[in-house]
């Protein structure tokens, strides 16, 4: 389908809402960008940008001083104060689509008087606005994990199908982004219903449909055909973004290099800086590991089994016969890096990393996987 | 310090299990958490006989008890006798809270001279029969499970009681607060604001309460399963914390737990 231009996101949000979707988009909360339900384009973070580096994230006005801090909590939709008009002028936020497709905690089944009741699989329709190209790639990885193979996960399938994806090309990659070297960004190529490229002067969005659902949506909106100048400006966004990647990874021979480093002394050195806190795996858009929690409700006598995010950095994760197999921090760090860049390829036919940089930004001690890979 | 793994052990013969709640040196906050479980407590009261719980009533049933919840640390010669009695009359003994599990805030005396404190505070310090140190219950008798927190978390307490009633192992993860912080979707205060936080070395259980309100974790639940305090201390120094400040953050409710004691030493105590 030919690309079109939207002058505002307001009709898009209104139409989606009218179609019964809950629209979730980026908002400013507690000094970070978070997905939350939005009802108007005014809820989007106009004029905000981010600075990301290892162990550091700061939101600030696109032009102006840093504006964060635990005391002055930043609220949603303060668009009027924005210097800039861009609403997607930042990179990957702590949340990825994982929170929607693979939520932190889900009930699997309940036991009432000893009789199992499977948890409902109805997933409410959600339109996710502002999904980044790296996150589209991460969803493709998740699809292989949860839907490929012999035991597809029906609950994941239901949530995934209920999700309408409105992607946005990245114009301002963060200091920890390396999607260009992973081949996953910064431009949305596939896996979306609609992809937007945000342009300024004047503020507008070039939109492309990536599915029949997306084409239907665009057809219901007030648009005009994109001119050659619009398309050239959109191309330029991608070209510039590609030169602004804060990090890169050399993929040539990487899988083998990581596998061969099994006995490297590097792991111990890295472990001396690693807190085994699991933040990296929690924010990673492809990490899928869970544990089960069994609980009994003392009040009504029912029991329930829930699935909850777990991580190869916890000791319980590798507990076998009463003791963890990966007791040392070094063994746990090695598991994480080796899974992402080597054994994931054996398991799922591609890397477990899409280059979003979240694990680097959100590591409290700033451990940088791209640096660790370099050192191997 | 490590919580002993247990599969619980149920009362035999189908009778109603008997619960006892005991207090040693403590502020009663953990027992209040039990009272706070309003609705569930009624159910608990229906499924167990609350045979000894002075905080809630004056019942003082005779032992033995199937489950004893013990609050507080051992700080007097009398405590030493009493905890042995409690162990003798209890099939399962579960400590509740930082005092019973690590010695509590009163274990700060371990790092000073208790006689000096007594002489400053009391007119006749000679009447004060206090031990040199404040010690956890596990230093004196075998403990079946240790529930952390200052105070303990309501949900975790119900989980532990439910688990012991059902004869299964309580689901009380020993990983970091960071995991709960991310499950909850809170913004990391270290990364996003530069606020010092003990979450990476502290055991989960509170649901990341403080980070969810923009504050750093104070370490109420004590050391996590494999804390790397040296790495965290290096980061906290980068965030501007001085040696005395670092020592102070570890010297609170869980000061006497071995990993936090070492963390403070590593920081330069
Ligand atoms: S690499 Fe960083 S985020 Fe991951 S476990 Fe280690 S310290 Fe935590
Ligand atoms: S490993 Fe790190 S950079 Fe790669 S996808 Fe996961 S969070 Fe993003
Ligand atoms: S890196 Fe660890 S948490 Fe992530 S998917 Fe692999 S084993 Fe699971
Ligand atoms: S990694 Fe690429 S796609 Fe992801 S946020 Fe950064 S620039 Fe955008
Ligand atoms: S705020 Fe504290 S507990 Fe939460 S992720 Fe950051 S370091 Fe961990």
């Amino acid at each position: 389908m030919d690309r079109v231009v939207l002058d505002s996101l307001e009709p898009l949000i209104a139409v989606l809402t009218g179609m019964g979707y809950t629209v979730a988009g980026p908002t400013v909360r507690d000094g970070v960008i978070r997905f939350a339900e939005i009802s108007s384009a005014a809820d989007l973070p106009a004029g905000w940008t981010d600075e990301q580096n290892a162990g550091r994230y700061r939101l600030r006005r696109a032009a102006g001083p840093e504006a964060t801090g635990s005391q002055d909590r930043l609220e949603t939709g303060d668009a009027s104060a924005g210097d800039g008009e861009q609403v997607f002028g930042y990179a990957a936020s702590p949340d990825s689509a994982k929170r929607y497709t693979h939520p932190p905690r889900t009930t699997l089944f309940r036991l009432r008087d000893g009789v199992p009741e499977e948890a409902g699989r109805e997933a409410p329709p959600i339109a996710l606005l502002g999904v980044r190209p790296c996150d589209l790639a991460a969803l493709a990885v998740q699809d292989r994990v949860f839907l490929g193979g012999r035991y597809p996960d029906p609950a994941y399938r239901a949530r995934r199908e209920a999700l309408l994806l409105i992607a946005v090309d990245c114009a301002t990659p963060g200091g920890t982004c390396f999607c260009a070297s992973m081949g996953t960004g910064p431009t949305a190529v596939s896996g979306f219903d609609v992809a937007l490229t945000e342009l300024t002067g004047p503020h507008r969005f070039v939109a492309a449909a990536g599915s029949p659902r997306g084409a239907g949506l665009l057809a219901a909106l007030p648009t005009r055909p994109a001119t050659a100048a619009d398309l050239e400006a959109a191309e330029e966004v991608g070209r510039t973004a590609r030169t602004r990647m804060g990090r890169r990874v050399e993929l040539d021979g990487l899988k083998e290099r990581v596998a061969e480093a099994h006995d490297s002394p590097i792991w111990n050195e890295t472990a001396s800086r690693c807190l085994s806190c699991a933040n990296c795996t929690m924010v990673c858009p492809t990490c899928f590991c869970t544990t089960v929690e069994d609980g009994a409700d003392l009040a009504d006598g029912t029991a329930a089994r829930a699935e909850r995010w777990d991580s190869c950095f916890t000791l319980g994760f590798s507990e076998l016969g009463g003791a963890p197999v990966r007791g040392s921090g070094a063994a746990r760090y090695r598991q994480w890096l080796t899974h992402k860049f080597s054994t994931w390829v054996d398991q799922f036919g591609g890397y477990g990393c899409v280059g979003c940089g979240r694990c680097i930004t959100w590591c409290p001690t700033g451990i940088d996987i791209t640096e660790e890979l370099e050192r191997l | 310090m490590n919580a002993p793994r247990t599969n619980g052990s149920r009362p035999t013969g189908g009778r109603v299990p008997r619960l006892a709640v005991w207090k040693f040196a403590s502020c009663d906050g953990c027992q209040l958490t039990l009272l706070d479980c309003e609705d569930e407590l009624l159910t608990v009261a229906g499924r167990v006989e609350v045979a000894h719980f002075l905080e809630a009533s004056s019942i003082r049933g005779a032992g033995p008890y199937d489950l004893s919840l013990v609050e507080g640390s051992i700080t007097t010669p009398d405590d030493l006798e009493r905890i042995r009695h409690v162990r003798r009359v209890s099939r399962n003994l579960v400590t509740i809270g930082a005092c019973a599990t690590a010695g509590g805030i009163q274990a700060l005396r371990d790092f000073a001279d208790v006689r000096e404190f007594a002489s400053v505070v009391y007119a006749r310090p000679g009447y004060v029969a206090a031990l040199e140190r404040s010690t956890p219950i596990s230093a004196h008798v075998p403990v079946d499970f240790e529930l952390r927190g200052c105070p303990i978390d309501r949900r975790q307490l119900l989980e532990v009681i439910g688990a012991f009633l059902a004869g299964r192992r309580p689901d009380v993860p020993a990983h970091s607060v960071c995991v709960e912080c991310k499950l909850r979707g809170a913004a990391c205060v270290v990364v996003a604001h530069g606020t010092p936080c003990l979450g990476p070395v502290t055991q989960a259980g509170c649901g990341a309460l403080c980070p969810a309100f923009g504050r750093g974790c104070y370490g109420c639940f004590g050391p996590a399963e494999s804390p790397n305090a040296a790495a965290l201390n290096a980061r906290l120094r980068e965030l501007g914390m001085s040696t005395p400040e670092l020592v102070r953050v570890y010297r609170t409710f869980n000061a006497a737990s071995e990993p936090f004691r070492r963390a403070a030493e590593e920081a330069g105590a």
Side-chain angles (χ1 to χ4, degrees):
Chain A
M1 184 194 138
D2 289 336
R3 287 195 278 174
V4 295
V5 171
L6 297 170
D7 288 315
S8 157
L9 295 179
E10 210 60 73
L12 173 72
I13 295 168
V15 166
L16 284 168
T17 308
M19 289 165 74
Y21 284 98
T22 297
V23 183
T27 61
V28 176
R29 301 258 154 125
D30 301 335
V32 302
I33 300 284
R34 295 232 88 124
F35 281 117
E37 189 174 338
I38 57 169
S39 55
S40 142
D43 295 338
L44 296 169
W48 289 99
T49 190
D50 59 8
E51 283 171 14
Q52 299 195 37
N53 214 326
R56 187 181 154 90
Y57 178 101
R58 290 292 185 280
L59 267 192
R60 59 173 180 78
R61 290 301 185 184
E66 183 181 289
T68 62
S70 51
Q71 299 314 313
D72 52 315
R73 305 183 123 226
L74 301 163
E75 297 305 330
T76 329
D78 189 15
S80 56
D83 296 310
E85 50 192 354
Q86 267 186 292
V87 293
F88 299 116
Y90 39 83
S93 56
D95 288 336
S96 65
K98 178 166 96 170
R99 208 163 265 284
Y100 294 89
T101 52
H102 180 47
R105 193 181 260 110
T106 49
T107 302
L108 297 174
F109 61 82
R110 241 172 247 292
L111 280 178
R112 199 178 296 277
D113 300 324
V115 182
E117 294 170 3
E118 227 173 299
R121 294 215 181 104
E122 316 73 52
I126 295 173
L128 207 49
L129 171 62
V131 181
R132 299 301 172 150
C134 56
D135 283 335
L136 295 174
L139 284 172
V141 173
Q142 274 192 31
D143 287 351
R144 282 198 289 278
V145 170
F146 288 114
L147 302 178
R150 250 187 301 170
Y151 303 103
D153 181 338
Y156 173 87
R157 189 191 300 280
R159 287 189 294 265
R160 183 73 167 85
E161 283 170 359
L163 209 55
L164 185 132
L165 297 167
I166 301 177
V168 178
D169 287 343
C170 280
T172 46
T176 56
C177 292
F178 57 101
C179 60
S181 55
M182 297 305 295
T184 53
T187 304
V189 179
S190 63
F192 52 81
D193 292 295
V194 170
L196 304 173
T197 312
E198 184 173 31
L199 300 176
T200 50
H203 193 216
R204 63 201 193 279
F205 301 87
V206 172
S211 71
R213 201 158 54 155
L217 177 61
L218 287 184
L221 297 175
T223 58
R224 56 184 167 80
T227 63
D230 293 326
L231 294 177
E232 170 49 27
E235 284 292 313
E236 182 55 26
V237 166
R239 271 198 301 270
T240 316
R242 207 156 284 126
T243 64
R244 288 197 190 148
M245 293 285 136
R247 299 282 197 279
R248 72 178 301 279
V249 160
E250 178 53 60
L251 291 182
D252 205 25
L254 184 63
K255 173 187 184 294
E256 292 73 26
R257 201 147 42 88
V258 173
E260 282 157 17
H262 187 272
D263 299 318
S264 165
I266 294 273
W267 305 117
N268 278 324
E269 192 286 321
T270 310
S272 72
R273 291 174 285 129
C274 173
L275 301 160
S276 290
C277 63
N279 273 305
C280 45
T281 54
M282 299 279 140
V283 293
C284 178
T286 67
C287 272
F288 55 81
C289 287
T290 54
T291 183
V292 288
E293 281 178 348
D294 288 341
D297 189 328
L298 289 176
D300 68 5
T302 60
R305 172 165 292 183
E307 183 182 76
R308 164 177 75 69
W309 286 357
D310 198 2
S311 160
C312 51
F313 279 98
T314 72
L315 286 178
F317 184 84
S318 70
E319 189 183 300
L320 276 179
V325 173
R326 295 186 203 103
S328 70
R332 282 176 271 164
Y333 190 84
R334 180 179 61 199
Q335 162 62 21
W336 141 258
L337 208 69
T338 307
H339 196 201
K340 295 278 123 177
F341 292 96
S342 186
T343 49
W344 202 296
V345 182
D346 301 326
Q347 223 179 339
F348 303 111
Y351 293 107
C353 173
V354 296
C356 72
R358 287 188 179 89
C359 58
I360 307 172
T361 299
W362 297 98
C363 171
T365 56
I367 296 178
D368 178 342
I369 53 165
T370 65
E371 259 177 36
E372 299 303 317
L373 288 171
E374 286 267 302
R375 280 167 7 113
L376 285 181
Chain B
M1 261 309 297
N2 277 335
R5 305 290 194 181
T6 175
N7 288 312
S9 101
R10 269 203 268 204
T12 43
R15 57 179 179 75
V16 179
R18 310 183 74 226
L19 176 80
V21 186
W22 309 89
K23 174 187 162 65
F24 289 83
S26 60
C27 74
D28 289 31
C30 292
Q31 292 187 66
L32 283 176
T33 303
L34 180 61
L35 286 176
D36 231 17
C37 301
E38 302 136 18
D39 297 346
E40 297 89 347
L41 193 61
L42 289 174
T43 324
V44 172
R47 291 188 52 204
V48 299
E49 178 196 340
V50 182
H52 181 99
F53 189 7
L54 295 179
E55 174 92 23
S57 79
S58 54
I59 336 166
R60 251 180 214 268
Y65 308 99
D66 294 296
L67 176 59
S68 275
L69 302 177
V70 178
E71 178 196 81
S73 67
I74 303 299
T75 59
T76 68
D78 178 54
D79 288 347
L80 285 170
E81 289 308 310
R82 211 154 52 88
I83 190 59
R84 290 199 189 96
H85 167 73
V86 171
R87 180 67 266 190
R88 270 197 302 277
V89 297
S90 309
R91 182 190 292 268
N92 292 296
L93 190 160
V94 171
T95 62
I96 55 171
C99 298
T101 302
I105 190 86
Q106 58 273 28
L108 287 179
R109 71 168 67 162
D110 298 13
F111 307 97
D113 182 356
V114 69
R115 274 163 308 204
E116 202 182 307
F117 284 156
S119 69
V120 173
V121 176
Y122 299 101
R124 303 260 173 105
Y127 290 125
V128 179
L131 299 172
E132 287 285 316
R133 295 171 58 219
S134 166
T135 43
I137 303 303
S138 64
H140 306 281
V141 295
V143 169
D144 296 297
F145 191 79
E146 293 181 310
L147 188 58
R148 306 280 198 85
C150 186
I152 52 171
D153 175 77
R154 196 176 159 279
R155 281 171 309 117
Q156 286 201 326
L157 177 62
L158 289 168
E159 164 59 17
V160 166
I161 294 175
F164 274 90
L165 290 178
R168 63 176 170 84
R169 179 170 136 180
D171 184 4
V172 175
H175 56 59
S176 69
V177 174
C178 299
V179 172
E180 287 186 317
C181 200
K182 287 291 180 284
L183 293 179
R184 175 173 192 150
C188 175
V189 301
V190 173
V191 173
H193 307 304
T195 302
C197 177
L198 287 189
V201 297
T202 301
Q203 180 168 308
C206 61
L209 191 57
C210 289
F213 288 91
R215 307 197 312 178
C217 164
Y218 289 87
C220 308
F221 280 64
E225 56 192 8
S226 59
N228 184 350
L232 184 64
N233 289 351
R235 180 74 178 114
L236 295 179
R237 281 186 202 280
E238 279 173 21
L239 294 177
M241 286 182 83
S242 64
T243 297
E245 283 170 334
L246 272 175
V247 172
R248 266 194 76 113
V249 293
Y250 291 109
R251 292 259 167 100
T252 61
F253 332 103
N254 292 283
S257 72
E258 203 40 45
F260 278 8
R261 186 194 290 268
R262 271 187 274 119
E265 279 162 13
E266 199 279 337

